[in-house]
Amino acid sequence: MSTDQPANGIAANIENGTVSLGMLDNTYSPTVIEFVGELGLDFVWLDFEHGGPDPWDGPTVENLLRAAERSGIEPLVRLPASKPTLVRKALDLGVRTVLLPRVETAEEVRTAVTSGRFQYDGGAGDRGLAAPRARRWGLADDYIETADAESLVAVTIETRAAVENIDAILDVPELGFVFIGPFDLSVSLGHPGDIDHPEVLAAVETVRSSAVTAGVPVGGIGYDIEDAMEKAQNGYDLLHLGSTTGAVKTAVDGWLDAFDVDRAISDPASQEERF
Protein backbone atom coordinates (compact mmCIF):
# COMPACT_ATOMS: atom_id res chain seq x y z
CA MET A 1 0.00 0.00 0.00
CA SER A 2 1.38 3.40 -0.96
CA THR A 3 0.68 6.43 1.23
CA ASP A 4 2.93 8.91 -0.54
CA GLN A 5 2.98 12.49 0.76
CA PRO A 6 4.01 15.61 -1.16
CA ALA A 7 7.68 16.49 -0.99
CA ASN A 8 8.96 18.67 1.83
CA GLY A 9 8.27 22.14 0.44
CA ILE A 10 11.27 23.76 2.10
CA ALA A 11 13.65 21.05 0.86
CA ALA A 12 12.16 21.27 -2.64
CA ASN A 13 12.59 25.05 -2.74
CA ILE A 14 16.20 24.76 -1.59
CA GLU A 15 16.83 22.20 -4.32
CA ASN A 16 15.19 24.44 -6.93
CA GLY A 17 16.85 27.66 -5.77
CA THR A 18 13.53 29.21 -4.72
CA VAL A 19 13.21 31.33 -1.57
CA SER A 20 10.77 29.93 1.00
CA LEU A 21 8.49 32.48 2.67
CA GLY A 22 6.76 31.82 5.96
CA MET A 23 5.37 33.16 9.19
CA LEU A 24 5.27 32.31 12.87
CA ASP A 25 1.91 31.15 14.20
CA ASN A 26 2.15 32.13 17.85
CA THR A 27 -1.49 31.23 18.50
CA TYR A 28 -0.74 27.53 17.86
CA SER A 29 -4.15 27.23 16.21
CA PRO A 30 -4.86 24.46 13.68
CA THR A 31 -7.37 26.81 12.02
CA VAL A 32 -4.79 29.56 11.55
CA ILE A 33 -2.18 27.10 10.32
CA GLU A 34 -4.58 25.64 7.77
CA PHE A 35 -5.71 29.13 6.69
CA VAL A 36 -2.23 30.58 6.07
CA GLY A 37 -1.47 27.46 4.06
CA GLU A 38 -4.47 28.23 1.87
CA LEU A 39 -3.08 31.75 1.40
CA GLY A 40 0.02 30.29 -0.22
CA LEU A 41 2.89 30.62 2.25
CA ASP A 42 5.62 28.00 2.00
CA PHE A 43 6.09 27.30 5.70
CA VAL A 44 4.60 27.99 9.12
CA TRP A 45 7.00 28.35 12.04
CA LEU A 46 5.89 26.51 15.19
CA ASP A 47 8.12 27.66 18.02
CA PHE A 48 8.15 25.16 20.86
CA GLU A 49 11.14 26.87 22.46
CA HIS A 50 9.42 30.13 23.43
CA GLY A 51 5.84 28.89 23.69
CA GLY A 52 3.29 26.47 22.36
CA PRO A 53 2.54 22.93 23.44
CA ASP A 54 5.00 20.58 25.05
CA PRO A 55 6.74 18.83 22.12
CA TRP A 56 6.31 15.55 24.00
CA ASP A 57 2.51 15.99 23.74
CA GLY A 58 2.11 13.85 20.64
CA PRO A 59 -1.65 14.21 20.01
CA THR A 60 -1.54 18.02 20.24
CA VAL A 61 1.46 18.28 17.92
CA GLU A 62 -0.14 15.84 15.47
CA ASN A 63 -3.24 18.05 15.19
CA LEU A 64 -1.08 21.05 14.28
CA LEU A 65 0.70 18.93 11.66
CA ARG A 66 -2.60 17.69 10.21
CA ALA A 67 -3.77 21.28 9.73
CA ALA A 68 -0.57 22.09 7.83
CA GLU A 69 -0.78 18.94 5.73
CA ARG A 70 -4.40 19.75 4.83
CA SER A 71 -3.43 22.98 3.07
CA GLY A 72 0.05 22.02 1.88
CA ILE A 73 2.14 24.30 4.07
CA GLU A 74 5.36 22.93 5.53
CA PRO A 75 5.69 23.10 9.34
CA LEU A 76 9.06 24.37 10.54
CA VAL A 77 9.24 23.19 14.15
CA ARG A 78 11.73 24.73 16.54
CA LEU A 79 12.39 22.42 19.45
CA PRO A 80 13.26 23.68 22.96
CA ALA A 81 16.55 21.76 22.97
CA SER A 82 18.87 19.90 20.59
CA LYS A 83 18.54 16.58 22.39
CA PRO A 84 18.54 13.62 19.98
CA THR A 85 15.50 12.13 21.74
CA LEU A 86 13.49 15.28 20.94
CA VAL A 87 14.65 15.25 17.31
CA ARG A 88 13.59 11.61 16.89
CA LYS A 89 10.25 12.23 18.60
CA ALA A 90 9.39 15.20 16.37
CA LEU A 91 10.32 13.35 13.19
CA ASP A 92 8.33 10.27 14.18
CA LEU A 93 5.26 12.45 14.79
CA GLY A 94 5.53 13.64 11.20
CA VAL A 95 7.61 16.81 11.40
CA ARG A 96 9.98 16.99 8.43
CA THR A 97 11.83 20.22 9.18
CA VAL A 98 13.30 20.47 12.67
CA LEU A 99 15.06 23.62 13.86
CA LEU A 100 17.36 23.37 16.87
CA PRO A 101 17.95 26.34 19.20
CA ARG A 102 21.14 27.70 20.73
CA VAL A 103 23.60 25.21 19.26
CA GLU A 104 27.23 26.15 19.78
CA THR A 105 29.52 23.37 18.53
CA ALA A 106 29.90 21.21 15.47
CA GLU A 107 29.83 18.09 17.68
CA GLU A 108 26.43 19.06 19.06
CA VAL A 109 25.10 19.66 15.55
CA ARG A 110 26.53 16.42 14.17
CA THR A 111 24.92 14.44 17.01
CA ALA A 112 21.52 16.02 16.33
CA VAL A 113 21.70 15.59 12.56
CA THR A 114 22.79 11.97 12.91
CA SER A 115 19.83 11.31 15.21
CA GLY A 116 17.53 12.36 12.38
CA ARG A 117 18.99 9.95 9.82
CA PHE A 118 18.74 6.21 9.23
CA GLN A 119 21.87 6.46 7.10
CA TYR A 120 24.33 9.28 7.67
CA ASP A 121 27.38 10.46 5.78
CA GLY A 122 27.98 7.08 4.17
CA GLY A 123 27.46 5.12 7.38
CA ALA A 124 24.86 4.29 9.99
CA GLY A 125 22.53 6.95 11.30
CA ASP A 126 21.00 7.09 14.76
CA ARG A 127 17.27 7.41 14.06
CA GLY A 128 15.04 4.73 15.58
CA LEU A 129 13.11 2.52 13.16
CA ALA A 130 9.50 1.85 14.16
CA ALA A 131 6.03 2.30 12.70
CA PRO A 132 4.98 5.80 13.91
CA ARG A 133 2.78 8.37 12.24
CA ALA A 134 5.65 9.46 9.99
CA ARG A 135 5.65 5.94 8.54
CA ARG A 136 1.86 5.98 8.27
CA TRP A 137 1.84 3.37 11.02
CA GLY A 138 3.78 0.93 8.88
CA LEU A 139 1.89 1.47 5.61
CA ALA A 140 4.32 3.79 3.82
CA ASP A 141 6.44 2.43 1.00
CA ASP A 142 10.19 3.18 0.85
CA TYR A 143 10.01 4.81 4.27
CA ILE A 144 13.71 4.76 5.11
CA GLU A 145 14.87 6.32 1.84
CA THR A 146 12.03 8.84 1.71
CA ALA A 147 12.42 9.92 5.33
CA ASP A 148 16.12 10.54 4.90
CA ALA A 149 15.51 12.51 1.70
CA GLU A 150 12.65 14.62 3.07
CA SER A 151 13.83 15.36 6.62
CA LEU A 152 15.81 18.50 7.38
CA VAL A 153 17.60 19.04 10.68
CA ALA A 154 18.60 22.69 10.85
CA VAL A 155 20.11 24.96 13.50
CA THR A 156 19.66 28.48 14.79
CA ILE A 157 22.83 30.51 15.09
CA GLU A 158 22.13 32.83 18.00
CA THR A 159 25.11 32.88 20.38
CA ARG A 160 28.64 34.28 20.32
CA ALA A 161 30.08 30.76 20.52
CA ALA A 162 28.06 29.59 17.50
CA VAL A 163 29.35 32.51 15.43
CA GLU A 164 32.91 31.75 16.50
CA ASN A 165 32.42 28.10 15.49
CA ILE A 166 30.41 28.80 12.35
CA ASP A 167 32.86 27.28 9.86
CA ALA A 168 32.99 23.98 11.76
CA ILE A 169 29.19 23.95 12.13
CA LEU A 170 28.72 24.56 8.41
CA ASP A 171 31.06 21.67 7.69
CA VAL A 172 28.72 19.14 9.36
CA PRO A 173 27.45 16.80 6.60
CA GLU A 174 23.75 16.86 5.71
CA LEU A 175 22.97 19.95 7.78
CA GLY A 176 19.59 21.20 6.52
CA PHE A 177 20.25 24.94 6.86
CA VAL A 178 21.31 27.58 9.36
CA PHE A 179 18.89 30.23 10.59
CA ILE A 180 20.28 33.49 11.94
CA GLY A 181 18.67 34.67 15.19
CA PRO A 182 19.59 38.35 15.63
CA PHE A 183 17.62 38.95 18.83
CA ASP A 184 19.31 36.21 20.84
CA LEU A 185 22.59 37.19 19.22
CA SER A 186 22.13 40.71 20.56
CA VAL A 187 21.78 39.27 24.07
CA SER A 188 24.76 36.96 23.73
CA LEU A 189 26.93 39.79 22.41
CA GLY A 190 25.98 42.10 25.28
CA HIS A 191 23.56 44.40 23.46
CA PRO A 192 20.09 43.07 24.39
CA GLY A 193 17.46 44.08 21.85
CA ASP A 194 19.82 46.27 19.81
CA ILE A 195 19.82 44.25 16.60
CA ASP A 196 21.31 47.22 14.71
CA HIS A 197 24.40 47.38 16.92
CA PRO A 198 27.54 47.13 14.75
CA GLU A 199 28.73 44.02 16.58
CA VAL A 200 25.39 42.27 16.03
CA LEU A 201 25.27 43.28 12.37
CA ALA A 202 28.83 42.03 11.91
CA ALA A 203 27.95 38.66 13.46
CA VAL A 204 24.88 38.31 11.23
CA GLU A 205 26.98 39.07 8.16
CA THR A 206 29.68 36.61 9.25
CA VAL A 207 27.10 33.82 9.40
CA ARG A 208 25.40 34.81 6.14
CA SER A 209 28.58 35.13 4.10
CA SER A 210 30.09 31.97 5.59
CA ALA A 211 26.95 29.95 4.79
CA VAL A 212 26.79 31.26 1.23
CA THR A 213 30.47 30.46 0.69
CA ALA A 214 30.03 26.96 2.16
CA GLY A 215 26.95 26.27 0.05
CA VAL A 216 24.75 25.74 3.12
CA PRO A 217 21.24 27.24 2.90
CA VAL A 218 20.61 30.17 5.23
CA GLY A 219 17.44 31.62 6.73
CA GLY A 220 16.62 34.86 8.47
CA ILE A 221 13.99 37.41 9.43
CA GLY A 222 12.53 39.83 6.90
CA TYR A 223 11.64 42.92 8.94
CA ASP A 224 9.58 44.35 6.06
CA ILE A 225 9.14 43.54 2.40
CA GLU A 226 12.05 45.70 1.26
CA ASP A 227 14.32 44.02 3.78
CA ALA A 228 13.06 40.60 2.70
CA MET A 229 13.73 41.41 -0.95
CA GLU A 230 17.24 42.58 -0.14
CA LYS A 231 17.95 39.44 1.86
CA ALA A 232 16.62 37.23 -0.95
CA GLN A 233 19.02 38.95 -3.32
CA ASN A 234 21.90 38.36 -0.90
CA GLY A 235 21.68 34.60 -0.62
CA TYR A 236 18.94 33.91 1.92
CA ASP A 237 16.94 30.76 1.19
CA LEU A 238 14.23 31.07 3.89
CA LEU A 239 12.60 34.24 5.19
CA HIS A 240 10.39 34.60 8.26
CA LEU A 241 8.07 37.52 7.39
CA GLY A 242 6.04 37.99 10.57
CA SER A 243 3.64 36.46 13.05
CA THR A 244 -0.06 35.83 13.49
CA THR A 245 -0.37 38.34 16.31
CA GLY A 246 1.73 40.87 14.39
CA ALA A 247 -0.53 40.55 11.33
CA VAL A 248 -3.67 40.95 13.48
CA LYS A 249 -2.17 43.99 15.21
CA THR A 250 -1.42 45.64 11.87
CA ALA A 251 -4.97 45.04 10.66
CA VAL A 252 -6.66 46.25 13.86
CA ASP A 253 -4.42 49.32 14.14
CA GLY A 254 -5.40 50.16 10.57
CA TRP A 255 -9.10 49.88 11.33
CA LEU A 256 -8.85 52.03 14.45
CA ASP A 257 -6.73 54.67 12.74
CA ALA A 258 -9.16 54.87 9.82
CA PHE A 259 -12.33 55.11 11.90
CA ASP A 260 -13.22 58.75 12.59
CA VAL A 261 -14.83 58.65 16.03
CA ASP A 262 -15.47 62.42 16.19
CA ARG A 263 -17.28 62.37 12.87
CA ALA A 264 -19.34 59.34 13.87
CA ILE A 265 -20.74 60.98 17.02
CA SER A 266 -20.99 64.60 15.83
CA ASP A 267 -22.84 64.23 12.54
CA PRO A 268 -26.45 63.43 13.47
CA ALA A 269 -27.62 64.10 9.91
CA SER A 270 -25.60 61.20 8.59
CA GLN A 271 -27.05 58.98 11.31
CA GLU A 272 -30.63 59.99 10.45
CA GLU A 273 -30.08 59.13 6.79
CA ARG A 274 -29.42 55.54 7.76
CA PHE A 275 -32.86 55.06 9.36
Side-chain angles (χ1 to χ4, degrees), residues 211-274:
V212 170
T213 299
V216 175
V218 59
I221 299 172
Y223 300 109
D224 54 41
I225 294 304
E226 285 302 315
D227 182 61
M229 290 295 296
E230 181 178 349
K231 283 185 167 74
Q233 293 164 357
N234 282 303
Y236 281 78
D237 300 277
L238 298 90
L239 290 169
H240 170 341
L241 300 179
S243 67
T244 301
T245 52
V248 172
K249 179 183 183 299
T250 298
V252 173
D253 284 348
W255 297 340
L256 295 177
D257 290 344
F259 188 78
D260 189 336
V261 176
D262 292 335
R263 177 185 171 192
I265 64 177
S266 64
D267 188 357
S270 64
Q271 296 181 25
E272 292 175 0
E273 291 174 359
R274 295 190 305 169

Side-chain angles (χ1 to χ4, degrees), residues 81-82 100-110 112 154-170 172 184-185 187-189:
S82 60
L100 308 177
R102 309 187 68 79
V103 300
E104 296 196 327
T105 68
E107 291 75 17
E108 180 184 4
V109 175
R110 181 186 294 271
V155 298
T156 316
I157 303 299
E158 50 191 349
T159 69
R160 181 189 294 272
V163 176
E164 293 172 350
N165 293 325
I166 188 61
D167 289 333
I169 289 172
L170 293 170
V172 172
D184 280 335
L185 266 176
V187 175
S188 182
L189 294 170

Side-chain angles (χ1 to χ4, degrees), residues 68-144:
E69 291 159 4
R70 167 62 182 79
S71 58
I73 191 169
E74 195 66 36
L76 190 164
V77 175
R78 178 155 68 173
L79 297 173
S82 60
K83 296 178 180 178
T85 51
L86 269 176
V87 174
R88 297 187 195 104
K89 175 73 169 183
L91 293 175
D92 279 356
L93 289 174
V95 177
R96 299 190 295 186
T97 303
V98 172
L99 184 60
L100 308 177
R102 309 187 68 79
V103 300
E104 296 196 327
T105 68
E107 291 75 17
E108 180 184 4
V109 175
R110 181 186 294 271
T111 297
V113 175
T114 305
S115 73
R117 290 283 185 275
F118 294 112
Q119 296 178 308
Y120 177 71
D121 194 27
D126 194 31
R127 182 171 177 182
L129 181 59
R133 180 175 184 272
R135 196 178 183 180
R136 312 318 296 161
W137 303 279
L139 301 177
D141 293 335
D142 302 320
Y143 170 62
I144 292 173

